[in-house]
Amino acid sequence: MSYNNIIVEDGDGTAIITINRPSKLNALNTKTIQELHDAFQDLEGDKDIKVIILTGSGEKAFVAGADISEFADFDVDEGKQLSAQGQKLLFDFVENLGTPVVAAVNGFALGGGLELAMSCHFRIASDNARMGLPEVSLGVIPGYGGTQRLPQLVGKGKAMEMIMTAGMIDANEALKCGLVNHVTSQEELLPLCEKIAGKIMRNSPTAIRAAIKAVNANYTSGINGFAIEIEEFGRCFGTADFEEGTSAFLEKRKAEFSGN
Ligand code: COA
């Protein structure tokens, strides 16, 4: 598939998606959101891809937000539509992907950019990264899941402060409050993501898919996460990966998971 606003590279079980509008600090316009959706969907269907890393091009930004120039003259219905469509196509889609998605936050992650990073399964930042939800400074609120996912990650009080002040936090503060899992230098960001991806890749893709579903169930209203865990746990017993994983352990050899 060919794209205008993103670059997709794959090899060795990992795919890297780079959002590539550096002159606009990789701001998310509708076309970029659609391209990201298509790329994630395509990679999800590729059994050779075990981990997806998402980053931004250039040294300055992961994503500096939704593209303000696109929605500045929207009315109420268009605003609702923008939020609903974006959540469905990209943010919820990424969160519920069965393939692990790691955000490599390489600079500004603001507004929709932080919301996208928060939709990923976890985040690693370079030391120049700055994160925030500045929407109220524009007279609007986060619309791509930020009011829901930020409190899940950093707690309600910290999220309220970040949203109300519209301020930015640096990578170390993000690490302290649990918004990112690791902070490293700009040069080491992708190598560290790939190193962690390597650890993930040794494990069963079917079990990882089930684990993502069970963990996400805790954050889905009206769903009992414990019940989903029981169901997914049981389902694992019917997989080739379970047979391989347990046999390999008992035979004292390394498991070779087929992902079935
Ligand atoms: N939407 C559209 N364009 C954006 C953008 C966004 N969210 N963020 C940055 N850009 C564009 C700028 O308009 C500028 O384009 P131009 O050169 O054609 O004028 C270009 O990206 C570079 O940005 P600039 O503001 O000149 O860089 P900076 O280093 O001075 O400031 C930021 C960086 C991130 C602090 C600043 O760009 C910013 O505040 N962006 C908006 C962040 C935001 O509010 N996001 C939430 C949106 S809901």
Side-chain angles (χ1 to χ4, degrees):
M1 233 179 269
S2 79
Y3 303 104
N4 295 317
N5 295 341
I6 63 173
I7 298 166
V8 181
E9 298 158 289
D10 60 59
D12 252 2
T14 310
I16 301 178
I17 303 179
T18 306
I19 301 164
N20 189 32
R21 296 182 75 213
S23 67
K24 297 291 172 192
L25 302 186
N26 305 320
L28 292 177
N29 58 5
T30 320
K31 189 167 170 41
T32 308
I33 288 178
Q34 182 65 52
E35 288 191 359
L36 283 167
H37 169 87
D38 294 345
F40 277 114
Q41 189 168 52
D42 192 40
L43 293 168
E44 172 81 335
D46 184 342
K47 280 211 139 217
D48 293 335
I49 300 301
K50 306 288 194 309
V51 180
I52 302 169
I53 297 168
L54 178 65
T55 195
S57 76
E59 302 211 326
K60 214 166 153 183
F62 173 72
V63 169
D67 192 322
I68 298 167
S69 66
E70 251 190 8
F71 61 74
D73 60 358
F74 275 13
D75 65 18
V76 170
D77 285 339
E78 289 170 315
K80 263 192 200 167
Q81 172 76 6
L82 180 76
S83 169
Q85 185 76 356
Q87 288 195 16
K88 183 167 165 233
L89 261 185
L90 185 58
F91 299 80
D92 295 352
F93 190 75
V94 169
E95 181 169 57
N96 292 305
L97 219 65
T99 309
V101 184
V102 182
V105 182
N106 59 311
F108 288 116
L110 302 174
L114 180 55
E115 290 173 299
L116 182 55
M118 291 193 294
S119 297
C120 297
H121 297 124
F122 60 91
R123 290 143 293 284
I124 300 176
S126 54
D127 49 19
N128 63 319
R130 301 193 72 198
M131 285 155 257
L133 293 178
E135 285 86 347
V136 299
S137 71
L138 299 167
V140 68
I141 66 167
Y144 289 145
T147 64
Q148 306 304 298
R149 292 191 182 99
L150 189 61
Q152 287 168 5
L153 287 163
V154 305
K156 186 176 171 187
K158 178 79 180 167
M160 284 288 198
E161 184 182 338
M162 284 178 66
I163 291 169
M164 289 175 189
T165 60
M168 295 185 209
I169 60 172
D170 65 19
N172 282 324
E173 193 174 347
L175 181 65
K176 256 190 262 161
C177 67
L179 188 51
V180 303
N181 291 10
H182 306 273
V183 175
T184 185
S185 64
Q186 284 172 270
E187 305 74 56
E188 282 303 310
L189 180 61
L190 285 181
L192 177 59
C193 290
E194 280 164 343
K195 188 173 162 204
I196 293 171
K199 290 185 186 176
I200 294 173
M201 273 188 271
R202 286 186 218 135
N203 303 313
S204 154
T206 52
I208 287 174
R209 187 174 295 269
I212 291 171
K213 195 168 170 192
V215 172
N216 280 346
N218 185 39
Y219 302 96
T220 313
S221 72
I223 296 219
N224 180 332
F226 289 97
I228 299 292
E229 184 181 275
I230 290 167
E231 201 181 303
E232 291 299 320
F233 180 79
R235 202 193 300 276
C236 289
F237 285 69
T239 65
D241 275 4
F242 175 74
E243 203 180 319
E244 168 62 9
T246 48
S247 306
F249 177 81
L250 295 172
E251 291 161 17
K252 300 190 187 304
R253 61 175 174 82
K254 195 171 157 292
E256 295 289 345
F257 292 112
S258 63
N260 294 309

